[in-house]
Amino acid sequence: MSVLVEFAIFPTDKGESVSEYVSRVIKMFKESDLNYQLTPMGTVFEVESMEEATAVINNAYKQLEPDCNRVYTTIKMDIRKNKSNRMKQKINSIKNKIGEVNA
Amino acid sequence: MSVLVEFAIFPTDKGESVSEYVSRVIKMFKESDLNYQLTPMGTVFEVESMEEATAVINNAYKQLEPDCNRVYTTIKMDIRKNKSNRMKQKINSIKNKIGEVNA
Amino acid sequence: MSVLVEFAIFPTDKGESVSEYVSRVIKMFKESDLNYQLTPMGTVFEVESMEEATAVINNAYKQLEPDCNRVYTTIKMDIRKNKSNRMKQKINSIKNKIGEVNA
Amino acid sequence: MSVLVEFAIFPTDKGESVSEYVSRVIKMFKESDLNYQLTPMGTVFEVESMEEATAVINNAYKQLEPDCNRVYTTIKMDIRKNKSNRMKQKINSIKNKIGEVNA
């Protein structure tokens, strides 16, 4: 099974710039063996079960919990049985149909 | 701590109407002691920790897992320390400022 | 056509509590003839075209634009041809299957 | 002003695989002069006003409207005054803090 996740998490009590806090979450990904991709609006990652996906999200919150009073997160998941490695395949299936794209 | 969640989960391999499948998830809420509210676009609920929130989402997926090959979910969370009972309070704080609203 | 929208919009440069700003957006709904419902995590409304839906969102941003430097919004839409009045119907179709629910 | 958008749009009445329909939307971006990036879970793009952002979303729906009865879209926007070119800057501000990342 392939669980593709796109999510963003940030404090809303720390003023206009929050990259210092977001960096902690990306560091968590960097130091893990997760297959992830940082984008300007969030992080995309792929795991093989819902429990793995939600464990990553719980861990992401833990990076902010110590000193953030209010945190907001948006998450979307595309969960598909009998599939794997969709971080590449979903992009390739578009390229096969319309050629090169910015990805 | 108050974890307010708004989420929707539905299969994308079952055709145009999916209320049969969504009803299973709402039945899960109905049979739980969770503080929840069904809306036309999802379900809002409140718990006291991220682990409780993600456990509900994992359980919601389990209602669809047996016979759905592809499932999509959107989730957003407003996580706030030193607060509780915000299902009512967030609405009341708006009403206190602008009077009655459709809620 | 029925365009069902669930969205939230709030400044992220105004500190932990933002209900003063969110109230402006809900006031916009209250003073309109839109079919809307405020929830603890956003506002659900129904219109008949994408142009109407996005015009509401542009107008919502205008309520915050004068004094907010950074604004975040999450939006999801369920767009369905040959349907109307789904604010009620989607809830009723669940009730018809599993009985009364918190809605 | 910089309006950063992450969104996904897809039909929910066309079965498990929808890449044929999603490709139409990406083709729209490819043939435009928009600054966009396709990810496995959506498309990120940057414009300078809310009106431009929502016009892109209206146009994306038009690519599916002719033959799709039900369409679902998730959108999130990070709207910030006095900024531009944040597709690169938001990633760089993370790299400056924690070094190279998968982006």
Side-chain angles (χ1 to χ4, degrees), chain B residues 17-69:
Chain B
S17 172
V18 290
S19 57
E20 174 206 332
Y21 301 90
V22 171
S23 305
R24 296 184 200 168
V25 177
I26 312 309
K27 192 159 175 280
M28 177 195 89
F29 277 100
K30 197 177 164 182
E31 291 167 354
S32 76
D33 51 20
L34 289 163
N35 183 5
Y36 78 94
Q37 175 191 359
L38 175 65
T39 85
M41 285 293 282
T43 303
V44 179
F45 68 93
E46 183 171 14
V47 287
E48 294 175 3
S49 72
M50 280 295 280
E51 286 69 22
E52 282 176 86
T54 51
V56 170
I57 290 159
N58 288 340
N59 201 12
Y61 173 68
K62 285 199 179 91
Q63 312 307 312
L64 306 181
E65 197 275 334
D67 57 355
C68 299
N69 273 338

Side-chain angles (χ1 to χ4, degrees), chain C residues 3 9 16 19 24 27-28 37 51 66 70 82 90:
Chain C
V3 181
I9 190 166
E16 191 171 327
S19 59
R24 297 183 198 167
K27 192 160 175 278
M28 175 195 90
Q37 175 191 357
E51 286 69 22
R70 191 169 192 178
N82 313 314
K90 275 181 91 172

Side-chain angles (χ1 to χ4, degrees), chain B residues 1-2 46 48 80 82-87 89:
Chain B
M1 191 161 92
S2 160
E46 183 171 14
E48 294 175 3
R80 198 167 180 186
N82 312 314
K83 293 275 181 183
S84 60
N85 194 26
R86 287 193 300 157
M87 291 277 277
Q89 274 177 18

Side-chain angles (χ1 to χ4, degrees), chain B residues 4-8 16-17 19-20 22-24 26-27 30 34-42 44 74-78 80-81 83 86-88 90-91 93-95 97-103, chain C residues 4-8 16-17 19-20 22-24 26-27 30 34-42 44 74-78 80-81 83 86-88 90-91 93-95 97-103:
Chain B
L4 262 174
V5 183
E6 189 277 344
F7 92 119
E16 190 171 328
S17 172
S19 57
E20 174 206 332
V22 171
S23 305
R24 296 184 200 168
I26 312 309
K27 192 159 175 280
K30 197 177 164 182
L34 289 163
N35 183 5
Y36 78 94
Q37 175 191 359
L38 175 65
T39 85
M41 285 293 282
V44 179
T74 67
I75 306 158
K76 52 185 185 178
M77 300 185 191
D78 174 8
R80 198 167 180 186
K81 286 182 191 170
K83 293 275 181 183
R86 287 193 300 157
M87 291 277 277
K88 283 216 174 62
K90 275 181 91 170
I91 305 278
S93 86
I94 301 289
K95 285 183 181 176
K97 289 178 172 76
I98 63 167
E100 273 310 310
V101 291
N102 301 347
Chain C
L4 262 174
V5 183
E6 189 277 346
F7 91 119
E16 191 171 327
S17 173
S19 59
E20 173 204 333
V22 171
S23 305
R24 297 183 198 167
I26 312 310
K27 192 160 175 278
K30 197 176 164 182
L34 288 163
N35 183 6
Y36 78 95
Q37 175 191 357
L38 176 65
T39 85
M41 284 293 282
V44 178
T74 66
I75 306 158
K76 51 185 185 178
M77 301 186 191
D78 174 6
R80 199 167 181 187
K81 287 182 190 170
K83 293 276 180 181
R86 286 194 299 155
M87 291 276 279
K88 281 215 174 63
K90 275 181 91 172
I91 305 280
S93 86
I94 302 289
K95 285 183 180 176
K97 290 179 173 75
I98 63 167
E100 272 310 311
V101 290
N102 300 349

